[in-house]
Amino acid sequence: LPSPHRLVNYDDVKGKGQWMAPETHNARASSLEDTYNAGKEDAWDQNVEQMFEQNPTWSDVKWLKTEACLGLPLVVKGIMTGEDARLAVEHGADGVMVSNHGGRGLDGALPAIDALPEIANAVGGRVPVLLDSGVRRGTDVVKALALGATAVGIGKPVFFALATDGEKGVFTVLQILQRETEAAMCICGCESVEKIT
C-alpha cells in the first residue's frame, strides 16, 4: 500500500518483513498523545488525523453541494443528533446517514439506532434518513424502518460475502436479508414497508 497506508492488523517492523500484532506495536508508544498525534507513518490508525479534515464546518457542506457535487445528491454521514441533521439539511444535504462509523471512534459511543428517532423527527421527511451501523438481519431492517429510517446500509455483510464467494455471495446475502425482512414484516402484521411504524 502507498505510504502512509498500511494493513491495519499488522505492521512491518522497521521494514525487515517481520510482523507483529498491533497490540504489541501500539505498546511501543510512550503515551496516548504519542500514539494518536505522532505525525509519523507508524502512528495509530494510519494517521487518520492527517488524511481527513479535522474541523469541517457546515459551510464546507454547503460548498460541497454547490461547487463539488455538480448535480449529484449529497448525503452527509455520521449524523448522530437531531440538531446536526437539521443543520445538514439547511446547508444542502439531500440525505443524512445516521452512523457512529461502527463505534471505531469511541467504543462506548451512542448506537446509531438509538439516535435514529431524534434524527428522523428533526428531518421531518424533508430528505431520506439512512441508518448505517449494525444491520445484520431482517429484524434490524424492520426496527430501523419503524424508528424512522428511509433505508439502511449493509456494508460489512456485503464485504464479507464478496470476500468469501464473490458476486454470488453478495447475491445470497441480499436474498437472505430480503427473506428475513419479509418474514419479520409478516410476524408484525405489516403488508408493506409503508405500514412499518
Side-chain angles (χ1 to χ4, degrees):
L1 296 173
S3 179
H5 304 286
R6 66 173 195 275
L7 295 174
V8 177
N9 294 330
Y10 297 95
D11 273 330
D12 182 38
V13 180
K14 297 182 182 174
K16 296 180 180 178
Q18 299 171 348
W19 300 98
M20 60 197 297
E23 304 81 42
T24 308
H25 176 269
N26 287 342
R28 293 186 307 182
S30 61
S31 71
L32 284 176
E33 180 67 24
D34 291 342
T35 301
Y36 287 91
N37 299 307
K40 297 183 291 185
E41 187 174 322
D42 63 353
W44 178 83
D45 200 17
Q46 306 176 44
N47 283 321
V48 293
E49 68 279 358
Q50 294 178 10
M51 293 189 300
F52 301 107
E53 172 61 51
Q54 293 299 295
N55 298 303
T57 66
W58 293 114
S59 296
D60 295 327
V61 172
K62 186 174 184 178
W63 178 87
L64 282 169
K65 181 61 181 172
T66 59
E67 303 295 328
C69 288
L70 304 176
L72 295 173
L74 174 64
V75 177
V76 178
K77 182 178 179 185
I79 300 295
M80 290 294 290
T81 67
E83 179 183 6
D84 281 347
R86 183 183 50 74
L87 287 167
V89 173
E90 288 174 5
H91 287 85
D94 298 299
V96 294
M97 185 169 281
V98 183
S99 175
N100 66 7
H101 305 294
R104 288 185 296 277
L106 270 178
D107 61 359
L110 179 70
I113 196 139
D114 289 346
L116 178 59
E118 175 188 334
I119 292 165
N121 286 334
V123 167
R126 291 178 288 167
V127 299
V129 176
L130 311 171
L131 175 80
D132 175 60
S133 289
V135 176
R136 302 291 181 267
R137 314 188 77 127
T139 51
D140 297 329
V141 175
V142 172
K143 290 173 195 174
L145 295 174
L147 292 171
T150 308
V152 298
I154 52 167
K156 286 182 184 171
V158 169
F159 293 134
F160 294 156
L162 184 62
T164 59
D165 202 18
E167 181 181 356
K168 180 182 172 197
V170 173
F171 185 74
T172 301
V173 162
L174 295 174
Q175 281 185 316
I176 291 169
L177 196 57
Q178 180 181 1
R179 281 196 304 264
E180 288 181 351
T181 301
E182 290 170 351
M185 287 172 60
C186 287
I187 292 169
C188 292
C190 298
E191 297 175 0
S192 67
V193 171
E194 293 76 27
K195 293 189 176 181
I196 299 174
T197 58

